[in-house]
Amino acid sequence: QVQLVESGGGSVQAGGSLRLSCVLSGYTSITYCLAWFRQVPGNEREGLAAIWPDNGLVYYADSTRGRFTISQNNDNAKNTLYLEMNSLNPEDTAMYYCAAGGPRYCSGTRYRSDSYTYWGQGTQVTVSS
């Protein structure tokens, strides 16, 4: 049974940083994309960054490039996905989700939420000005 559990969200002032973690239990695929998304109530889920586990290739949406860093640690008993977020601003306030089982080789639709099979429950990030 696949289970994704995020942590690391919280409240931070503008300009601050946070590191989100997502523990992937029961998930071992290296072929399919992993990603981080966020969602503000009333809006669609927005793809932020993706990683192809097989070779570590990373991809960033325009809104996060240069500020966010996605990484994965699968060297020990835990398979963990990270999102390091810097220079946060109030527009980054949202519920953040990790996702697994995305497009093969992270191709094409890596920022579409309907391309992913597995989701975490989300962790809230609030940035105050």
Side-chain angles (χ1 to χ4, degrees):
Q1 181 181 355
V2 176
Q3 187 177 20
L4 279 61
V5 179
E6 301 101 334
S7 61
S11 297
V12 64
Q13 289 194 326
S17 300
L18 282 173
R19 188 193 199 200
L20 306 183
S21 300
C22 172
V23 176
L24 296 87
S25 302
Y27 186 88
T28 58
S29 172
I30 62 171
T31 302
Y32 299 95
C33 206
L34 304 175
W36 285 95
F37 286 75
R38 66 186 178 191
Q39 189 170 25
V40 175
N43 289 4
E44 291 187 359
R45 205 162 282 193
E46 176 192 7
L48 305 174
I51 185 168
W52 179 14
D54 189 21
N55 58 14
L57 279 176
V58 296
Y59 307 86
Y60 295 98
D62 290 342
S63 62
T64 63
R65 190 173 294 115
R67 298 191 302 127
F68 292 8
T69 303
I70 188 171
S71 61
Q72 182 191 15
N73 184 354
N74 197 16
D75 295 335
N76 51 29
K78 270 190 178 180
N79 184 2
T80 308
L81 186 68
Y82 300 99
L83 186 67
E84 183 79 33
M85 305 186 296
N86 298 310
S87 301
L88 287 164
N89 58 66
E91 290 69 38
D92 295 314
T93 295
M95 185 73 78
Y96 283 69
Y97 299 90
C98 61
R104 187 179 292 225
Y105 317 130
C106 273
S107 61
T109 59
R110 54 183 169 264
Y111 297 133
R112 284 183 51 171
S113 59
D114 60 0
S115 296
Y116 290 80
T117 303
Y118 305 103
W119 291 88
Q121 82 289 348
T123 185
Q124 177 68 36
V125 171
T126 302
V127 185
S128 58
S129 57

